[in-house]
């Protein structure tokens, strides 16, 4: 899928989780719901770090372009080192390492550890990166026509405000993980969810997605998981633009209302 659809699906997924945990007796404070939805929207772009032309490659100027080149080469190297004879040869690393459940978990766990040990500035950094990506995905028309500096300023300002609100007693720093030293441990959850939602979205397209790696399926270690081919679509097609994106908006709206206790 394309960047805007990925971000919308990420935000909708977190809002849906908010409704589910509210029903299970662990309601999110509203700052966690908002921050998590934005982080998840940004994290839903991150697996495309292996693609030099993806939305994320433009998000932070030369830094993100350079990082995408490195991740592309790393992913390709891992693919070549672990492929079986049944896996096809590839010229690049797109939709390999960063499009797996293992990558999603490692990135999310790493973010949680950084947030718990790095203090306020680590939390601000995590928020800034993902809020910039959320702007690039959710407000992509504005982001494409604005300067990078304005997008970064919006991300930095939003991160500063959200961090301040979250740090207030009862506003969510210790949501779900309340023991001393576990503040902001939950920050890794929307990052994991965003990456997995991205992978599931890509699995619906014609190429599929090797979400299960390194677990082999049949004779392939990089099995492109997906529905039957008749049910798949091409990225950027009318199915994505006219069906899925409106559906994500509606589902996200219902999820948000459920999370806040209105339905």
């Amino acid at each position: 899928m394309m960047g805007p659809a990925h971000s919308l699906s990420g935000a909708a997924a977190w809002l849906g989780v908010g409704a589910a945990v509210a029903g299970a007796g662990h309601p999110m404070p509203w700052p966690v719901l908002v921050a998590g939805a934005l982080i998840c929207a940004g994290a839903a772009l991150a697996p495309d770090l292996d693609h030099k032309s993806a939305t994320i490659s433009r998000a932070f100027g030369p830094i993100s372009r350079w990082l995408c080149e490195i991740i592309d080469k790393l992913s390709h190297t891992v693919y070549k080192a672990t492929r079986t004879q049944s896996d096809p040869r590839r010229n690049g690393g797109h939709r390999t390492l960063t499009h797996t459940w293992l990558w999603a978990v490692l990135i999310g766990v790493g973010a949680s550890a950084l947030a718990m040990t790095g203090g306020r500035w680590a939390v601000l950094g995590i928020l800034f990166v993902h809020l910039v990506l959320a702007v690039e995905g959710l407000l992509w028309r504005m982001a494409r026509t604005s300067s990078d500096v304005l997008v970064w300023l919006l991300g930095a300002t939003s991160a500063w405000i959200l961090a301040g609100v979250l740090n207030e007693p009862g506003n969510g720093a210790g949501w779900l993980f309340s023991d001393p030293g576990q503040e902001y441990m939950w920050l890794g959850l929307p990052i994991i969810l965003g990456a997995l939602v991205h992978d599931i979205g890509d699995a619906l397209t014609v190429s599929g997605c090797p979400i299960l790696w390194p677990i082999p399926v049949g004779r392939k270690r990089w099995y492109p998981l997906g529905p039957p081919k008749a049910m798949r679509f091409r990225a950027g097609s009318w199915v994505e633009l006219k069906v899925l994106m409106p559906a994500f908006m509606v589902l996200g709206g219902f999820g948000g209302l459920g999370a806040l206790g209105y339905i």
Side-chain angles (χ1 to χ4, degrees):
M1 290 198 296
M2 306 298 286
H6 279 310
S7 284
L8 274 175
S9 66
W14 184 257
L15 293 171
V17 168
V21 296
H26 299 283
M28 294 180 185
W30 71 264
V32 174
L33 185 68
V34 173
L38 292 173
I39 292 171
C40 202
L45 295 180
D48 277 343
L49 270 172
D50 61 4
H51 191 351
K52 301 174 187 177
S53 300
T55 301
I56 192 173
S57 71
R58 301 185 293 270
F60 299 97
I63 294 176
S64 53
R65 287 193 292 272
W66 172 75
L67 184 59
C68 283
E69 291 180 4
I70 291 177
I71 297 298
D72 176 39
K73 292 177 181 178
L74 172 64
S75 299
H76 191 211
T77 299
V78 172
Y79 181 85
K80 289 191 297 182
T82 61
R83 64 179 287 268
T84 68
Q85 291 184 347
S86 297
D87 292 306
R89 296 184 180 275
R90 300 178 61 100
N91 295 320
H94 183 46
R95 287 201 185 182
T96 55
L97 178 62
T98 62
H99 287 67
T100 65
W101 69 270
L102 183 59
W103 176 273
V105 171
L106 290 176
I107 294 299
V109 170
S112 289
L114 179 62
M116 288 189 295
T117 60
R120 177 177 174 80
W121 288 106
V123 172
L124 281 170
I126 293 169
L127 287 173
F128 169 70
V129 168
H130 288 90
L131 290 180
V132 168
L133 292 177
V135 171
E136 292 282 353
L138 298 175
L139 304 177
W140 64 278
R141 292 184 186 275
M142 180 274 284
R144 292 283 179 88
T145 57
S146 299
S147 70
D148 289 340
V149 174
L150 288 177
V151 175
W152 299 340
L153 285 174
L154 178 58
T157 302
S158 302
W160 187 271
I161 293 172
L162 270 177
V165 173
L166 286 166
N167 210 38
E168 292 294 323
N171 274 5
W175 174 73
L176 204 57
F177 304 99
S178 56
D179 291 341
Q182 292 185 346
E183 292 82 6
Y184 294 109
M185 187 175 178
W186 62 268
L187 277 181
L189 298 179
I191 293 174
I192 294 173
L193 180 62
L196 292 177
V197 167
H198 177 111
D199 297 344
I200 293 170
D202 278 354
L204 298 176
T205 64
V206 293
S207 299
C209 187
I211 303 172
L212 297 180
W213 183 89
I215 301 171
V217 177
R219 296 182 178 180
K220 293 184 177 181
R221 192 171 297 278
W222 295 90
Y223 184 82
L225 202 67
K229 291 187 177 181
M231 298 175 63
R232 302 187 189 190
F233 58 89
R234 293 190 177 278
S237 68
W238 67 270
V239 175
E240 179 178 336
L241 300 175
K242 303 296 184 181
V243 178
L244 292 181
M245 289 179 66
F248 294 149
M249 294 180 189
V250 172
L251 292 173
F254 277 109
L257 291 174
L260 294 172
Y262 290 111
I263 57 175

